[in-house]
Amino acid sequence: ILGFSTPPGRLSMMAFILNALTCALGLLYFIRRGKQCLDFTVTVHFFHLLGCWIYNSHFPSTLTWWLVHIVCTALMAAIGEYLCMRIELREIPLGSAPKSNV
C-alpha cells in the first residue's frame, strides 16, 4: 500500500511521517535525554518490525516499506534529540533560590 503513485499510498506515508513527529514529542516528554533518543527510536522501530513480521507472517521485503521506515527513524531520532538538547541546554537560574537563615 506504500507508494507515491496512489493517494492511499501517499496518505499512509504522510501518516508514518506524522507519527514520527509525534513520537519525537513523546521522546521529549518521557525520555528527556538527548543521548538516549536514538536508542529508544531504534527500539520502537525494531518492535514495529517484529509486529509487522508476526502480523503478516513474512518479513517485510518491499523497498518502499524500508525507505519509509528508515526516513521515519532518522526523522524521529533527529527531532527528538534536538528537542531534548534544547531542554538540557537551558540556563539554570541561580538568583531565584530563596536565601536561608543558617
Side-chain angles (χ1 to χ4, degrees):
I1 191 169
L2 291 175
F4 295 107
S5 60
T6 62
R10 288 190 296 264
L11 185 65
S12 293
M13 285 193 283
M14 285 191 311
F16 275 111
I17 290 172
L18 287 175
N19 183 39
L21 297 176
T22 57
C23 286
L25 291 174
L27 288 174
L28 174 65
Y29 183 72
F30 291 111
I31 306 304
R32 295 182 187 237
R33 297 280 307 177
K35 291 183 177 183
Q36 296 176 344
C37 285
L38 181 62
D39 296 336
F40 280 93
T41 300
V42 171
T43 302
V44 165
H45 281 86
F46 178 73
F47 285 139
H48 181 258
L49 170 67
L50 289 178
C52 289
W53 192 358
I54 291 169
Y55 182 77
N56 293 325
S57 301
H58 69 278
F59 194 75
S61 60
T62 59
L63 182 63
T64 55
W65 191 91
W66 284 102
L67 288 176
V68 166
H69 283 82
I70 288 171
V71 167
C72 287
T73 301
L75 191 64
M76 180 178 163
I79 293 174
E81 188 170 339
Y82 172 75
L83 293 173
C84 289
M85 292 300 278
R86 284 192 57 181
I87 298 297
E88 288 178 359
L89 295 176
R90 282 194 298 195
E91 290 186 20
I92 299 172
L94 298 175
S96 63
K99 295 182 180 184
S100 62
N101 277 336
V102 180

